[in-house]
Amino acid sequence: MDTPQSTPQDDPARPAGDATTPEAVPGAGDGRREDGPELIRFQDVTKRFGELTVLDDLCFSVYPRKHVTLIGPSGSGKTTILRLLMTLVKPDEGTITVDGEHLTHEERHGKLVPAGEKHVREVRKKIGMVFQQFNLFPNMKVLRNVTEAPVHVLGLSKDEAEARARDLIELVGLTEHIDKYPTQLSGGQQQRVAIARALAMRPKVLLLDEVTSALDPELVAGVLDVLRDVAHSTEITMLCVTHEMSFARDISDCVMMFDKGRIVEAAPPEQLFGDPRHQRTRDFLRSVQ
Amino acid sequence: MNWDWGVVADFMPYFWSGLLTTLQALAWGTLIAFSLGLVWAIAVRGPAFVRWPVLGFTEFVRNTPLLVQLFFLFFVLPEWGPTVPVMVAGAIGLGLHYSTYTMEVYRAGIEAVPVGQWEAAHALSMSPRRTWQSVILPQAFRRSVPALGNYVIAMLKETPLIATIGLMEMLGEARAFGTETFRFMEPYTVVGIAFVLVAYPASLLIRALERRLATH
Ligand SMILES: Nc1ncnc2c1ncn2[C@@H]1O[C@H](COP(=O)(O)OP(=O)(O)O)[C@@H](O)[C@H]1O
Ligand SMILES: [Mg+2]
């Protein structure tokens, strides 16, 4: 590590909660008391791919209604964090809880046992994700992309799901494209549909993984505007990986700087961008400018 | 020997009956091949105790002659179980044999669906069944249609084999007619043309379908 570890607060492997607790992050407000317990909690989470330790004893929490942004160099493990939450990969060590429920284990007869597929699906309903490559279903029109899961997973009636979808499609500004197939849309429009599709499940937390990285530069602003809108007009919690620093500054309550699978520092955007404490953060910010 | 239209006219009633048998066997065989192939393709993505038996069985079926399988179904199997009607044995024989080919078509189609599609379905908490039904199979199917169509035509050209278990399809009728009347040229010619008349439009249809699917 090239970061000083003199005080506990500077230690990247600090205990659970510190990264985004109100104490550590004044900008996040009186989160703990106002918003109840944490929505996402990583405790001593380690993830390895073969020899490579991608996440190293990671601890952090995200509180309800907060918008937390992950920044850091490529390969530092940001995507892996989102994929762990999505149960697309499993942690090697440590526990992850979402809204108080274990992601990888469930309680049966008072004992924690490895989670069954059903439990995982239930917990995952609280989480929505938007991918870098949109991943819309090309065999469905825009409207059905947004209604498919609400109908078949949440059990909404077709009418309810369509009403919900139309509202969301309007929110992302695509009402006139509702009857098109994804391939008939630009990348930016597809990504906006993907945002609507994720929101249609009414998740408590929205995961965003470099959602503008695959877009032509002129299409980035439209998608970020939609996300700003979502961040400011809804109660949704966001965990967001991005290289768009001005966007991070706009929407974040807390920015976490990652390097080599550890949190280098976590702070409100004004502080992290304005007066970063660590050389590693300063170097990174200079490199992305 | 001169071409005799009178012979053709005499043969026609047998021909129609043979054509009907051919098309029936083809229709049932196709239905079995398309659905069973899909079952195999999904099964080999399942747990090891499903995967390996299915792979072993389909490999075995693919690498033994259809003729042997037909003999087995019609002559050997009844020694253990009830005798099956010859049409059923023929259709199962064709369908089972070709299911091991359509399986590979489906597998390729399924593998061509980007991993992001699985992940998106997963992120929306879709059940495995829903994921297959709404997301994976529609996309895999679309990519599979042209190759599946080609196997229908291949199967059509192999239907004469079912005559060996006594199912009188077109060619069987022609041979029976020839043996009886000593006129082979007319019935065989009629049947040859009939194969072309069925297969050629079918392949045009497949190509049209292929173009349609490609543009959408
Ligand atoms: N499925 C995987 N198998 C092997 N290595 C992986 C896998 N996923 C990610 N990695 C590795 O883990 C590291 C962190 O990846 P990632 O979380 O995608 O980083 P980031 O999103 O910060 O760029 C990288 O070195 C990457 O190559
Ligand atoms: Mg990444």
Side-chain angles (χ1 to χ4, degrees):
Chain A
M1 282 300 295
D2 52 0
T3 50
Q5 299 192 5
S6 47
T7 67
Q9 220 181 0
D10 282 344
D11 185 349
R14 74 192 90 202
D18 266 16
T20 53
T21 50
E23 295 79 35
V25 188
D30 268 334
R32 184 166 269 174
R33 257 172 291 124
E34 255 175 34
D35 301 312
E38 59 266 82
L39 191 55
I40 294 173
R41 183 182 162 98
F42 273 60
Q43 191 159 17
D44 307 318
V45 172
T46 296
K47 176 66 198 172
R48 300 184 195 92
F49 288 116
E51 296 284 279
L52 182 72
T53 301
V54 177
L55 296 178
D56 191 3
D57 218 13
L58 182 70
C59 295
F60 73 92
S61 298
V62 177
Y63 288 86
R65 292 197 274 283
K66 298 301 176 201
H67 307 141
V68 175
T69 303
L70 308 178
I71 62 169
S74 175
S76 57
K78 306 179 298 295
T79 295
T80 303
I81 290 174
L82 302 193
R83 293 175 68 85
L84 280 164
L85 280 165
M86 217 61 260
T87 62
L88 287 165
V89 292
K90 285 201 164 63
D92 294 301
E93 286 161 35
T95 53
I96 301 169
T97 54
V98 174
D99 206 15
E101 296 199 66
H102 282 271
L103 199 53
T104 50
H105 292 77
E106 64 185 304
E107 213 167 302
R108 273 208 204 124
H109 317 298
K111 268 191 276 184
L112 274 187
V113 296
E117 168 69 16
K118 237 183 161 160
H119 171 85
V120 173
R121 264 212 304 282
E122 281 309 310
V123 181
R124 204 167 50 213
K125 279 185 197 167
K126 300 175 183 192
I127 311 172
M129 180 152 183
V130 181
F131 299 87
Q132 194 173 336
Q133 298 294 340
F134 336 132
N135 297 344
L136 290 183
F137 303 130
N139 54 316
M140 304 175 194
K141 291 179 176 173
V142 166
L143 182 64
R144 202 174 140 217
N145 259 282
V146 183
T147 58
E148 186 70 8
V151 168
H152 294 290
V153 178
L154 301 182
L156 262 57
S157 74
K158 201 160 169 265
D159 287 347
E160 284 173 295
E162 287 196 359
R164 188 184 282 193
R166 283 176 200 282
D167 284 348
L168 287 165
I169 291 166
E170 193 184 336
L171 175 77
V172 300
L174 291 174
T175 301
E176 68 270 38
H177 301 291
I178 204 160
D179 277 325
K180 290 190 179 164
Y181 283 95
T183 47
Q184 298 169 290
L185 302 179
S186 75
Q189 290 169 332
Q190 289 189 50
Q191 193 58 297
R192 279 142 66 190
V193 176
I195 293 166
R197 180 176 70 173
L199 292 176
M201 296 296 282
R202 302 253 167 100
K204 292 197 166 179
V205 52
L206 188 61
L207 310 180
L208 302 156
D209 191 6
E210 296 191 32
V211 295
T212 56
S213 298
L215 298 179
D216 293 334
E218 74 272 17
L219 301 176
V220 169
V223 171
L224 293 183
D225 284 345
V226 164
L227 287 174
R228 279 191 188 92
D229 216 26
V230 170
H232 293 138
S233 66
T234 69
E235 303 234 298
I236 202 160
T237 307
M238 283 167 127
L239 187 56
C240 175
V241 176
T242 187
H243 290 305
E244 301 285 339
M245 295 305 153
S246 68
F247 171 71
R249 194 190 289 258
D250 285 355
I251 66 140
S252 306
D253 297 295
C254 170
V255 180
M256 295 201 282
M257 166 73 198
F258 262 82
D259 192 29
K260 303 193 179 84
R262 287 163 166 253
I263 298 169
V264 175
E265 69 178 290
E270 311 81 62
Q271 190 195 321
L272 194 126
F273 293 121
D275 180 24
R277 282 194 206 149
H278 291 277
Q279 189 56 40
R280 189 69 198 89
T281 312
R282 283 192 282 273
D283 292 344
F284 174 74
L285 290 176
R286 207 172 306 120
S287 76
V288 294
Q289 239 128 57
Chain B
M1 206 183 257
N2 286 324
W3 183 264
D4 185 344
W5 287 104
V7 174
V8 174
D10 287 345
F11 174 60
M12 285 322 272
Y14 299 99
F15 167 76
W16 293 121
S17 149
L19 178 65
L20 190 67
T21 305
T22 297
L23 292 179
Q24 264 176 350
L26 183 66
W28 285 114
T30 301
L31 195 72
I32 295 171
F34 280 14
S35 39
L36 207 52
L38 187 59
V39 172
W40 302 145
I42 294 173
V44 294
R45 296 182 70 99
F49 72 92
V50 176
R51 177 190 172 81
W52 292 110
V54 169
L55 278 177
F57 177 73
T58 53
E59 196 67 25
F60 176 78
V61 170
R62 199 180 309 120
N63 289 300
T64 44
L66 176 56
L67 192 57
V68 176
Q69 288 158 18
L70 287 169
F71 282 172
F72 190 85
L73 277 168
F74 193 66
F75 298 117
V76 184
L77 214 53
E79 294 190 14
W80 296 308
T83 325
V84 286
V86 66
M87 175 56 92
V88 174
I92 291 178
L94 278 172
L96 179 65
H97 189 79
Y98 275 91
S99 75
T100 65
Y101 291 97
T102 58
M103 163 193 176
E104 295 301 327
V105 175
Y106 288 126
R107 279 177 80 182
I110 290 166
E111 261 151 46
V113 176
V115 65
Q117 293 290 307
W118 291 93
E119 294 183 353
H122 181 93
L124 292 165
S125 300
M126 288 187 186
S127 64
R129 192 198 143 102
R130 176 53 53 190
T131 303
W132 279 105
Q133 198 175 320
S134 292
V135 180
I136 305 304
L137 290 182
Q139 294 181 51
F141 217 74
R142 190 184 192 79
R143 288 171 226 257
S144 307
V145 166
L148 288 177
N150 288 332
Y151 279 119
V152 177
I153 293 173
M155 209 185 313
L156 168 69
K157 290 190 280 188
E158 290 221 60
T159 47
L161 281 178
I162 59 180
T164 56
I165 57 171
L167 193 58
M168 294 303 273
E169 48 63 67
M170 292 193 287
L171 195 66
E173 291 286 4
R175 189 167 47 213
F177 182 87
T179 326
E180 199 118 305
T181 60
F182 302 105
R183 300 289 305 205
F184 288 96
M185 184 167 69
E186 290 85 356
Y188 281 158
T189 308
V190 168
V191 168
I193 292 169
F195 271 110
V196 176
L197 287 183
V198 177
Y200 186 62
S203 65
L204 287 185
L205 193 74
I206 291 163
R207 242 169 286 161
L209 209 58
E210 197 168 355
R211 263 197 306 275
R212 233 190 86 97
L213 291 177
T215 53
H216 205 72

